Amino acid sequence: MPSPVIGITTNYGKNPDGLPSVYLLRAYVRAIQEAGGLPILLPSDLADSEWEIVYARLDGILFSGGGDIALEHFDGSPHPRVCEVDPMRDALELALARRAAGEGKPFLGICRGCQLINVALGGTLFTHLYDQLPGALDHAYPGNMRQVLVHPVQLKPDGRLAHIVGTDRLMVNSLHHQGLKDLAPGILPLAWAPDGLVEAVEYPGHPFGLAVQWHPEWLTDQQETRRLFKAFIDAALESPR
Ligand code: MN
């Protein structure tokens, strides 16, 4: 059986020589490969007529981590810590997410990807958790702590995520300074940090529409995390395109 083709959204940045580059941390690619998927990187500068051609060939979409989403997309509060906004990436991902949600194309959102799904479907974000969520934990651990488990998440008992990973409590990494505020209509929460922040959501009634605020691609040594990626790939295998 051919591997399902998983499109992964990417960042723009500069290589060590200062040249404009498309990039994606390899952990995303590896996680998809290890779960049996065939990863394809999606550059953000695709015209509508182009991404629709690519979209039609994908069995699933992984919305990866990255910079902050522009405030205009969710009427967010300006904050000096809002950073790395990329209008081109926002535009592509919002269009892909709305399409994938509406058409039943399996998708997995990670970190920014979780926030993106919520915004795409009409939700809002805390633009800097520490100043806006009373009693917020520290969620913004530095990048060298990607494999360090820093806070628990309580999963909704009998929820879809708990069912997939086989437990209702996980320890996770945390590399975000923003978070979900008002959930989009029709989005269900599936997991919470101890400060009440929603850390995973589901688009119910969809073959596979899940998003998590942490970074499972760095935690594939956990059996529970491998089950999450496997469930995504299994759903993509079933996708009719
Ligand atoms: Mn967190």
Side-chain angles (χ1 to χ4, degrees):
M1 189 176 290
S3 300
V5 178
I6 306 298
I8 311 179
T9 58
T10 57
N11 301 280
Y12 271 104
K14 293 192 171 162
N15 79 351
D17 290 332
L19 300 174
S21 302
V22 175
Y23 73 93
L24 177 74
L25 293 180
R26 193 178 177 187
Y28 294 103
V29 170
R30 292 286 293 269
I32 292 301
Q33 289 173 320
E34 287 171 5
L38 197 170
I40 299 291
L41 273 56
L42 304 176
S44 294
D45 57 345
L46 294 175
D48 287 354
S49 59
E50 295 171 329
W51 73 251
E52 289 181 8
I53 293 170
V54 179
Y55 173 90
R57 287 160 170 73
L58 299 177
D59 299 308
I61 301 174
L62 194 168
F63 294 93
S64 65
D68 295 334
I69 298 165
L71 304 180
E72 69 204 50
H73 296 301
F74 57 99
D75 196 21
S77 304
H79 192 285
R81 292 286 301 277
V82 172
C83 63
E84 298 177 45
V85 172
D86 179 345
M88 203 163 55
R89 182 175 180 185
D90 286 351
L92 175 74
E93 290 189 333
L94 289 167
L96 285 174
R98 288 168 183 146
R99 187 80 169 265
E103 295 184 358
K105 178 99 68 187
F107 64 85
L108 174 63
I110 291 180
C111 198
R112 169 197 161 92
C114 183
Q115 298 165 7
L116 186 281
I117 298 299
N118 190 47
V119 168
L121 299 175
T124 66
L125 305 178
F126 294 112
T127 52
H128 191 63
L129 279 172
Y130 198 73
D131 289 341
Q132 297 165 7
L133 174 66
L137 292 177
D138 188 358
H139 288 270
Y141 286 83
N144 62 1
M145 292 182 66
R146 293 179 189 278
Q147 292 178 297
V148 181
L149 303 174
V150 296
H151 71 68
V153 286
Q154 187 67 46
L155 276 55
K156 180 184 174 190
D158 302 323
R160 183 146 186 203
L161 187 58
H163 179 71
I164 288 170
V165 301
T167 180
D168 60 8
R169 188 175 184 278
L170 284 174
M171 286 296 296
V172 299
N173 51 12
S174 194
L175 294 115
H176 57 107
H177 80 105
Q178 299 196 336
L180 307 191
K181 188 178 175 191
D182 302 309
L183 295 191
I187 287 278
L188 291 181
L190 289 181
W192 297 263
D195 56 11
L197 183 69
V198 172
E199 290 245 355
V201 293
E202 171 187 19
Y203 189 59
H206 189 282
F208 190 99
L210 287 181
V212 298
Q213 183 60 72
W214 63 94
H215 281 271
E217 77 279 13
W218 289 98
L219 304 176
T220 55
D221 56 330
Q222 294 178 339
Q223 184 181 44
E224 293 85 353
T225 294
R226 291 197 299 273
R227 288 176 182 147
L228 174 60
F229 283 107
K230 180 70 163 47
F232 176 42
I233 298 304
D234 285 349
L237 259 180
E238 300 293 318
S239 175
R241 285 195 196 168

